[in-house]
Amino acid sequence: MIKRTRMLTTSALLAALVVILGQFSLRIGNSFKFTLDEIPIYIGALLLGPVCGTAVGGIGTLISQLLAYGLSPTTPMWMLPNISTGLLAGIYAKKQNYRLSKRQAIFILLFCNLVSTTLNTLFIYIDAHIYGYYTPALILGMLIPRYLLSSTKGVVYALVLPPLVERLRSALKMDSNWVSARKAKTNDLT
């Protein structure tokens, strides 16, 4: 029960961080957005697995989309990149027993960032056609900068996030030991 509650609480906090970080972004036109909202998704996936990573990405992005644009026919489409990020990183972390070497972290976080950028680029293309703002420069003009930024972020995340996740893992275990000790003391008193 405690483990499940901790997972739900941690996932909810991480989803809230997705929303908060999503509000602080640098935008250049309709096709270039720099944000750090993937960080909590990666933390959820690397710490708790694919289900939590997917939930953090999906719920956090849904709330961000609703706050920024309201509900539209394209809302589910914009959720998919972050959902796929949480799912793919979580599956890989789980297969590696949640212990990633530096090389494995670089591989999966770079891969997830490139998948996310590819999906976002595709969805910008679709959205631009639906809402009538498409120009070839919209997609082609920002393609190389988008992939360069995505690759750079993937490598930086791979260097920063695994040690952070390990510290969070230790803190959560310490917390569960404290809760177990408190329960044992309470049971001894009754």
Side-chain angles (χ1 to χ4, degrees):
M1 179 69 171
I2 292 172
K3 182 179 178 184
R4 184 174 178 198
T5 301
R6 186 175 347 148
M7 286 178 65
L8 289 171
T9 304
T10 303
S11 295
L13 289 171
L14 291 170
L17 280 173
V18 170
V19 175
I20 292 166
L21 290 173
Q23 301 304 310
F24 299 102
S25 60
L26 173 64
R27 292 180 183 272
I28 299 171
N30 287 328
S31 65
F32 191 81
K33 175 182 168 186
F34 176 78
T35 182
L36 300 174
D37 64 351
E38 317 90 349
I39 292 173
I41 299 167
Y42 285 130
I43 291 171
L46 298 177
L47 184 66
L48 301 169
V51 173
C52 291
T54 301
V56 169
I59 293 168
T61 307
L62 174 63
I63 294 169
S64 289
Q65 285 291 310
L66 292 176
L67 290 173
Y69 308 106
L71 188 62
S72 75
T74 59
T75 299
M77 179 175 74
W78 292 113
M79 293 170 56
L80 284 176
N82 283 345
I83 288 172
S84 69
T85 294
L87 179 64
L88 293 172
I91 288 171
Y92 189 81
K94 187 174 182 178
K95 284 186 185 252
Q96 301 303 322
N97 204 24
Y98 301 100
R99 305 282 186 219
L100 301 178
S101 69
K102 199 170 280 193
R103 177 179 273 163
Q104 291 169 328
I106 289 171
F107 166 74
I108 192 58
L109 297 178
L110 182 59
F111 177 75
C112 287
N113 263 22
L114 292 174
V115 168
S116 179
T117 298
T118 301
L119 288 173
N120 272 315
T121 304
L122 173 65
F123 296 151
I124 289 169
Y125 177 81
I126 293 169
D127 192 74
H129 279 292
I130 290 172
Y131 293 108
Y133 62 90
Y134 175 77
T135 64
L138 175 70
I139 302 298
L140 298 176
M142 295 304 287
L143 205 55
I144 292 172
R146 288 173 59 82
Y147 279 102
L148 285 174
L149 177 63
S150 178
S151 300
T152 303
K153 282 172 57 176
V155 172
V156 170
Y157 289 165
L159 297 174
V160 173
L161 290 179
L164 175 63
V165 168
E166 283 305 312
R167 289 183 185 197
L168 287 171
R169 183 174 287 118
S170 295
L172 289 173
K173 284 183 181 177
M174 203 162 61
D175 184 45
S176 74
N177 292 337
W178 181 81
V179 171
S180 298
R182 292 288 292 174
K183 278 188 168 183
K185 276 187 178 180
T186 305
N187 289 340
D188 289 343
L189 294 174
T190 56

